[in-house]
Amino acid sequence: MECGISTACFFPMETEQALLEISLSEVKGVEVFLNTFRELEPEYLSRLKSIVKQSEMHVLAVHPFTSMMESFFFASSYGTRFEDGVALYRRYFEACRILEAPILVFHGDYKNTAYPFEAYCKNYSALQCVGKEYGVALCQENVVRCKCGFLEQIRRMRELTDDRAEFILDLKQARRAENHVDALLDAMKGKIRHAHLSDFDLDCDCLPPGEGQEAWALLLPRLKREACSMVVELYRDGFQTKQQLVNAVSFIESY
């Protein structure tokens, strides 16, 4: 089991600089959050790859900056939107291939759309197959503003995809959806590829692991059995220094 840091923690620091910041620590796992179209260009990805290689890091996952557009592309009755979405996401899958990242993070359909969930799952499955052409797993994250932020839809997605869907467990999103983490683990059981870790207290639901009230002694043994990889992923107002992120990784790996 490997734990890393997401470059998203440093937003709005530009992605290459954020990756350099992580490379200057002892942490070797990283999730790369791409933030603009120019970061999908081969020259830019080559620079990221060079940083990763020189620092002997591993890219555990890639996160698209177009997550908020996934309803537009993959939950629409307008046929050519899906086709254009596939063309765009091929660029992300190629970025994963270049960076040797096994996972692409996917948020999917917003919870308030009228688009049939069955049709969305069909589109997810089609895009999942495209990812496999590049050796990349398209993994559904439990995001509170999206349909799959909730237990019932995760269970239903497994049914509608013949249990081929794969998942990313995000702890802060689970808290915001008021989903108990144990219940989410049960719903995703056997299909969790990756996890986004954070802690919480009474004042903040997104803190560095080890600085809050999360029951890590109970949660981490199960996460270790279920997930293939994990990263500390925080919002910028949830920590003050890079060392807190490094300490959080050490805290997680101590289990």
Side-chain angles (χ1 to χ4, degrees):
M1 169 62 66
E2 185 169 14
C3 185
I5 297 172
S6 172
T7 62
C9 296
F10 297 92
F11 185 88
M13 184 185 290
E14 190 260 324
T15 303
E16 185 176 0
Q17 289 301 312
L19 188 60
L20 280 168
E21 281 289 327
I22 298 172
S23 75
L24 296 174
S25 75
E26 62 267 30
V27 176
K28 296 304 180 183
V30 64
E31 178 173 304
V32 174
F33 195 120
L34 299 173
N35 284 295
T36 70
F37 282 105
R38 70 179 57 196
E39 294 177 12
L40 285 167
E41 295 297 329
E43 181 182 353
Y44 192 91
L45 292 169
S46 179
R47 296 206 302 271
L48 297 185
K49 177 63 176 177
S50 179
I51 296 169
V52 169
K53 185 175 181 180
Q54 290 175 12
S55 305
E56 298 183 336
M57 294 195 296
H58 313 285
V59 181
L60 304 175
V62 168
H63 198 306
F65 63 91
T66 49
S67 296
M68 77 293 293
M69 296 184 69
E70 286 165 359
S71 279
F72 179 86
F73 287 123
F74 305 112
S76 170
S77 298
Y78 199 84
T80 53
R81 287 184 181 177
F82 177 77
E83 296 169 11
D84 286 348
V86 170
L88 172 59
Y89 274 63
R90 281 187 181 276
R91 296 182 67 184
Y92 287 118
F93 291 135
E94 176 64 12
C96 289
R97 187 192 65 78
I98 291 170
L99 296 173
E100 299 182 35
I103 291 166
L104 183 68
V105 181
F106 197 65
H107 290 188
D109 192 14
Y110 283 127
K111 64 183 178 183
N112 58 354
T113 70
Y115 193 71
F117 191 62
E118 293 81 359
Y120 164 72
C121 289
K122 181 178 179 181
N123 290 342
Y124 164 86
S125 294
L127 187 62
Q128 185 185 41
C129 287
V130 175
K132 288 179 180 178
E133 296 175 19
Y134 297 79
V136 178
L138 181 72
C139 295
Q140 176 73 60
E141 186 179 3
N142 59 298
V143 178
V144 66
R145 67 174 179 271
C146 297
K147 289 177 179 173
C148 286
F150 300 88
L151 293 168
E152 297 78 9
Q153 298 296 67
I154 290 170
R155 296 188 186 106
R156 183 68 175 139
M157 187 178 197
R158 295 186 68 159
E159 295 173 6
L160 292 169
T161 61
D162 294 326
D163 211 19
R164 295 190 181 95
E166 296 182 285
F167 298 98
I168 294 169
L169 174 66
D170 188 297
L171 297 184
K172 62 185 173 298
Q173 296 292 335
R175 297 181 196 112
R176 293 178 180 190
E178 298 183 350
N179 284 322
H180 196 283
V181 175
D182 281 343
L184 265 179
L185 282 164
D186 287 340
M188 297 178 176
K189 186 175 176 61
K191 293 292 183 174
I192 303 173
R193 290 291 303 269
H194 189 54
H196 290 158
L197 305 184
S198 59
D199 213 323
F200 74 98
D201 62 19
L202 294 178
D203 298 316
C204 182
D205 65 1
C206 187
L207 294 172
E211 294 190 16
Q213 301 173 4
E214 184 62 72
W216 295 108
L218 298 175
L219 174 59
L220 281 173
R222 188 168 183 191
L223 266 180
K224 183 179 178 181
R225 292 193 300 270
E226 293 285 345
C228 299
S229 62
M230 55 184 72
V231 294
V232 174
E233 187 195 63
L234 306 176
Y235 299 120
R236 192 61 190 86
D237 60 357
F239 68 101
Q240 284 73 50
T241 69
K242 181 177 75 173
Q243 190 60 44
Q244 286 177 277
L245 303 178
V246 175
N247 292 345
V249 171
S250 296
F251 172 81
I252 294 298
E253 291 186 339
S254 71
Y255 279 86

